Amino acid sequence: MIIPGSGSQALAAALAEATGEALATPTYDRFPDGEQLAAVPDFAGDSATIVCSTTGDEAWVELLQLQDAVREAGATEITTVIPYMGYARQDQAFKQGQPVSARAMARAVSTGTDRVVLVNPHEPDVADCYDVPVDHVDAAGVLAAPLPALDDPLFLAPDESAVGLAETVSEAYGAGDTDYFEKHRDRDTGAVEIEPSDATVQGRDVVVVDDIIATGSTMSEAIGVLEARDADRLFAACVHPMLVRNAATKLRNAGVERIVGTDTVERECSCVSVAAAVADAL
Ligand code: R5P
């Protein structure tokens, strides 16, 4: 049975469709003091696949409760799909006294599951933080489908670590060059500086590809540089469209024609599903 977290209901339904598994109808309640109570009253069977993006602290609590609820209801095999894993970027103590938050969350999740499936985690090494087997799904290729016909396309990563994603989208699109910018982020202020690559962008359609758009600082800096260098149409593509606060507006004002994201985070721009790729991993 597929068990959706409250923020992953569309993806869980698509996954139920792709796998032929039944879709449970959890309830997501709260006690008067604010404590959460996620439950799965219609759970039946031995095997549970929980699908829960951890986009915030509440989602982490919900995930742990869903794991415990299905175990209590008789599940003997639990798979936890975390389409977007929050805290994955705090995968080391960057300053004295900081936690490795990714490890803390992964350990908690590991206590309630037999295996974990992650979709394009920020760093693949985050798998080492779990105490159960972890499978990775690379779903970046789906980002090519919603793109329009592009003129002399360039698929650009805002930093070197995302160049593999840009290559995957370019390959799935079936044309285009790939390149990356050098990115520097001030760890105290969060301010992002992008240094232009050598690629020619003038008159070309450019798709900037990243794993996540959070505040939109990285993407809007990259778009600003491309605008200044007379690129033609500009698209922002990411697997995880977190788009916190005014990120979407920042991108529009920077000159983005369209934001393309997947349903690992359910937002207005989540126009393609990772369900088929996740189904393959189950
Ligand atoms: C960082 O290395 C990631 O790949 C993203 O570029 C970054 O997390 C995006 O965050 P923001 O939108 O806040 O700049």
Side-chain angles (χ1 to χ4, degrees), residues 39 42 77-78 82 155-156 168 178 215 246 252:
D42 59 350
E77 194 191 330
I78 300 176
I82 309 181
F155 293 84
L156 203 48
T168 301
T178 55
T215 64
N246 60 353
R252 297 282 179 214

Side-chain angles (χ1 to χ4, degrees), residues 89 122 159 183 185 192 210-218:
R89 289 176 290 174
H122 180 61
D159 61 35
K183 178 173 111 177
R185 186 191 289 272
V192 170
D210 208 352
D211 58 334
I212 171 173
I213 302 174
T215 64
S217 298
T218 301

Side-chain angles (χ1 to χ4, degrees), residues 18-108:
T19 58
E21 292 271 330
L23 181 65
T25 313
T27 53
Y28 315 108
D29 292 321
R30 256 177 210 286
F31 290 103
D33 61 2
E35 288 184 355
Q36 291 173 237
L37 179 64
V40 195
D42 59 350
F43 180 75
D46 300 329
S47 141
T49 300
I50 296 164
V51 184
C52 187
S53 278
T54 49
T55 48
D57 294 349
E58 293 178 3
W60 283 106
V61 173
E62 190 179 281
L63 171 53
L64 297 179
Q65 290 184 333
L66 291 173
Q67 288 178 328
D68 207 66
V70 293
R71 189 75 86 191
E72 189 67 16
T76 52
E77 194 191 330
I78 300 176
T79 297
T80 300
V81 180
I82 309 181
Y84 168 69
M85 180 186 166
Y87 288 107
R89 289 176 290 174
Q90 183 73 23
D91 57 353
Q92 49 182 291
F94 294 102
K95 290 181 186 170
Q96 174 70 22
Q98 286 189 348
V100 180
S101 303
R103 183 181 58 204
M105 308 319 254
R107 282 178 176 165

Side-chain angles (χ1 to χ4, degrees), residues 100-184:
V100 180
S101 303
R103 183 181 58 204
M105 308 319 254
R107 282 178 176 165
V109 167
S110 299
T111 62
T113 194
D114 299 294
R115 65 184 279 234
V116 167
V117 177
L118 301 175
V119 181
N120 292 98
H122 180 61
E123 292 288 347
D125 287 353
V126 80
D128 298 340
C129 295
Y130 289 85
D131 300 323
V132 292
V134 175
D135 288 304
H136 291 277
V137 172
D138 181 3
V142 301
L143 293 167
L147 294 170
L150 300 170
D151 186 17
D152 193 13
L154 174 64
F155 293 84
L156 203 48
D159 61 35
E160 193 172 1
S161 71
V163 76
L165 296 174
E167 284 166 0
T168 301
V169 180
S170 172
E171 270 166 35
Y173 183 77
D177 301 326
T178 55
D179 202 352
Y180 61 91
F181 283 173
E182 295 289 343
K183 178 173 111 177
H184 308 281

